[in-house]
Amino acid sequence: MDSQREYWIKNMVCSRCLKVIKQDLREIDVDVLSLELGKLTIRITTEIDNKIDLKIAEVLHSNGFGIAKNEEEMIVENIKITLIEMVTGLPLHIKEKTSEHLAAELHRDYKMLSKIFSKKENITIEKYFIKLKIERVKELIQLQQLVFSDIAYLLDYSSVNHLSRQFKNVTGLSMTDYKNSQIWERSFLDEII
């Protein structure tokens, strides 16, 4: 008799991640029913190897992912995915507070989300979101297609001065110094914490 099994995947934040994982799972004959950011659903049969969890964990680990082991880890991953999706889709014009957006998206009380995130990641959601935005700013600076005021606008900063202060607080450099240095150190969005 066929049944389904779900896995919550940590660090999966882009469409390329989906393609790689789906391909690798097919190579080990895993029947993928659905794969979306942070969540994998497979079909299992009674004849299937009882070591399927280990095989899936190995595929995920070899690609820099992991399996969320409990509900709190799943919540943290959903928060990360939601915020990363916000930052990658520009312009970032948030019509509501980030806290309200997360609560609505995840159907949970924000205080509970904040408490779990801070406990698991040792950083507040707000500081994590700022780090994500600054990484996006670095990318936009490197592309050299926009002036700082346009970057501030795209990332929903009230002014270029506000963005400049946050950039310097996070990186230790002014945006101009970062642009001129051409030593552009960046982090992958899924590796920020």
Side-chain angles (χ1 to χ4, degrees):
M1 182 172 150
D2 290 354
S3 62
Q4 296 179 7
R5 186 173 295 165
E6 287 183 350
Y7 299 87
W8 288 92
I9 304 171
K10 299 192 297 187
N11 303 324
M12 180 180 273
V13 295
C14 68
S15 58
R16 289 182 306 279
C17 300
L18 299 174
K19 184 178 178 181
V20 169
I21 294 302
K22 191 176 273 190
Q23 181 179 347
D24 286 359
L25 290 173
R26 283 187 182 143
E27 288 177 8
I28 62 167
D29 296 322
V30 172
D31 188 3
V32 176
L33 296 176
S34 70
L35 181 60
E36 54 193 76
L37 291 180
K39 185 178 176 186
L40 165 68
T41 305
I42 65 165
R43 181 186 330 271
I44 56 172
T45 63
T46 53
E47 305 96 37
I48 200 159
D49 185 344
N50 62 359
K51 296 181 181 172
I52 192 72
D53 289 337
L54 181 59
K55 288 180 178 179
I56 290 174
E58 286 174 359
V59 166
L60 294 173
H61 181 72
S62 71
N63 286 290
F65 306 112
I67 297 175
K69 295 176 178 60
N70 57 47
E71 185 178 10
E72 286 186 350
E73 286 185 0
M74 291 186 308
I75 288 170
V76 168
E77 288 307 308
N78 282 329
I79 291 168
K80 288 180 180 179
I81 288 167
T82 301
L83 294 175
I84 289 171
E85 286 175 344
M86 288 172 66
V87 167
T88 55
L90 296 179
L92 175 75
H93 293 299
I94 306 169
K95 295 174 178 57
E96 60 196 350
K97 293 180 180 178
T98 306
S99 58
E100 293 169 355
H101 181 76
L102 282 172
E105 281 287 314
L106 302 178
H107 309 290
R108 308 273 182 145
D109 177 62
Y110 181 76
K111 287 182 183 178
M112 185 269 295
L113 294 173
S114 178
K115 183 178 177 181
I116 290 171
F117 192 89
S118 295
K119 179 178 115 183
K120 290 287 186 184
E121 298 296 337
N122 295 316
I123 189 173
T124 65
I125 290 174
E126 179 185 7
K127 287 182 180 176
Y128 173 72
F129 192 47
I130 289 168
K131 285 184 171 194
L132 287 175
K133 291 194 315 185
I134 296 305
E135 284 304 314
R136 193 69 163 108
V137 170
K138 289 178 183 178
E139 177 185 356
L140 295 172
I141 289 172
Q142 286 176 311
L143 292 174
Q144 299 182 4
Q145 296 173 346
L146 301 168
V147 295
F148 295 153
S149 58
D150 291 341
I151 294 171
Y153 171 79
L154 287 173
L155 285 157
D156 207 31
Y157 280 91
S158 58
S159 69
V160 74
N161 290 334
H162 181 209
L163 169 56
S164 296
R165 282 190 307 274
Q166 276 194 350
F167 191 92
K168 185 152 188 163
N169 284 341
V170 172
T171 66
L173 295 171
S174 71
M175 291 192 303
T176 303
D177 289 344
Y178 181 79
K179 180 180 180 179
N180 292 337
S181 76
Q182 303 269 330
I183 301 171
W184 293 330
E185 294 181 19
R186 288 181 37 213
S187 300
F188 294 107
L189 294 180
D190 61 335
E191 295 177 358
I192 292 175
I193 285 290

